[in-house]
Amino acid sequence: AQTVTQSQPEMSVQEAETVTLSCTYDTSESDYYLFWYKQPPSRQMILVIRQEAYKQQNATENRFSVNFQKAAKSFSLKISDSQLGDAAMYFCAYRATLYGGATNKLIFGTGTLLAVQP
Amino acid sequence: SAVISQKPSRDICQRGTSLTIQCQVDSQVTMMFWYRQQPGQSLTLIATANQGSEATYESGFVIDKFPISRPNLTFSTLTVSNMSPEDSSIYLCSVEGRLYEQYFGPGTRLTVT
């Protein structure tokens, strides 16, 4: 069964600094997607970034980028120039594609609570 | 992307009663998902709702406790039946996009007294 592990329950970063959130996953599938979601306090869950497993190039969205290491099954999120609005719970998630009868479920990690210090 | 709304946004209910949560999407989607989330914790999938078929429930969740309706491609409801304080949680619906990403509603915060 697929699993997603986030080993950092909490992280803290100074405003304008860079922080990296870790995520590892376990799967026997070769084709899948990985996601980072952000959930600010008492606010809606939003998609931060998406990575397709068959693409070697790391995804980037403005200040957010990932380090995708497929062989190591690692998918970390780097936030550059951290802002106060980045403070949130961050969830790493995995989704196999539908080929081969894979489940349609999004598998979430336990989350990392990021605090941004002014 | 998809815009999702949920009603109610929050409610306080007495034990033994039922609450129906509505989820409305601004576009037609095949699959809708219902999750439960304790504050500060990860999401637990309750069930997947496809239009025109019975919902598929995850282990630990049963239809009698969490009946789901999916009358069309833009709407779904989740009912929390015969509530107990253990049902106090945030309930979220979501839909899946073209590249397997999910878009989430704002959630319904339920407190059972």
Side-chain angles (χ1 to χ4, degrees):
Chain A
Q2 296 92 353
T3 58
V4 176
T5 301
Q6 293 180 250
S7 59
Q8 305 155 316
E10 298 182 10
M11 291 282 285
S12 182
V13 63
Q14 291 292 130
E15 198 174 4
E17 297 295 309
T18 295
V19 64
T20 298
L21 309 184
S22 300
C23 173
T24 59
Y25 59 95
D26 189 24
T27 183
S28 58
E29 302 283 342
S30 60
D31 195 12
Y32 50 88
Y33 286 76
L34 296 163
F35 307 90
W36 279 98
Y37 285 89
K38 170 185 177 181
Q39 188 176 40
S42 300
R43 292 182 62 187
Q44 200 157 343
M45 180 97 77
I46 59 173
L47 176 66
V48 175
I49 200 165
R50 166 182 46 222
Q51 176 76 44
E52 297 158 80
Y54 64 87
K55 288 190 176 179
Q56 292 185 335
Q57 185 174 5
N58 289 324
T60 299
E61 289 288 342
N62 300 312
R63 297 182 296 107
F64 298 87
S65 61
V66 298
N67 183 5
F68 173 48
Q69 302 289 328
K70 190 172 184 179
K73 295 180 182 175
S74 171
F75 182 61
S76 60
L77 176 70
K78 185 172 81 172
I79 305 174
S80 304
D81 185 25
S82 296
Q83 301 175 0
L84 295 177
D86 294 334
M89 181 75 91
Y90 287 82
F91 292 99
C92 178
Y94 163 98
R95 167 68 153 94
T97 62
L98 292 178
Y99 303 109
T103 176
N104 59 14
K105 291 192 293 187
L106 194 59
I107 310 297
F108 286 92
T110 51
T112 296
L113 183 62
L114 178 67
V116 181
Q117 308 299 329
Chain B
S1 65
V3 177
I4 303 170
S5 59
Q6 284 185 236
K7 291 182 181 179
S9 59
R10 59 178 61 228
D11 207 342
I12 300 173
C13 302
Q14 291 191 340
R15 72 170 65 211
T17 62
S18 298
L19 176 71
T20 295
I21 302 168
Q22 299 178 8
C23 180
Q24 180 75 52
V25 189
D26 68 342
S27 57
Q28 293 184 339
V29 294
T30 303
M31 288 194 293
M32 296 179 77
F33 303 86
W34 287 99
Y35 292 88
R36 185 168 70 183
Q37 184 183 28
Q38 297 289 345
Q41 296 188 19
S42 190
L43 285 73
T44 300
L45 181 64
I46 297 171
T48 302
N50 286 338
Q51 195 270 335
S53 63
E54 293 281 336
T56 302
Y57 289 83
E58 297 299 305
S59 176
F61 297 96
V62 295
I63 187 171
D64 289 346
K65 176 67 174 177
F66 298 100
I68 288 171
S69 77
R70 184 77 202 276
N72 58 53
L73 291 173
T74 63
F75 187 79
S76 178
T77 67
L78 170 76
T79 298
V80 187
S81 303
N82 188 24
M83 288 184 285
S84 66
E86 292 70 35
D87 295 320
S88 297
S89 192
I90 300 168
Y91 292 84
L92 302 106
C93 68
S94 74
V95 302
E96 189 166 72
R98 187 175 57 86
L99 293 177
Y100 303 107
E101 75 280 15
Q102 287 191 15
Y103 301 98
F104 290 85
T108 296
R109 185 177 293 268
L110 171 62
T111 303
V112 184
T113 61

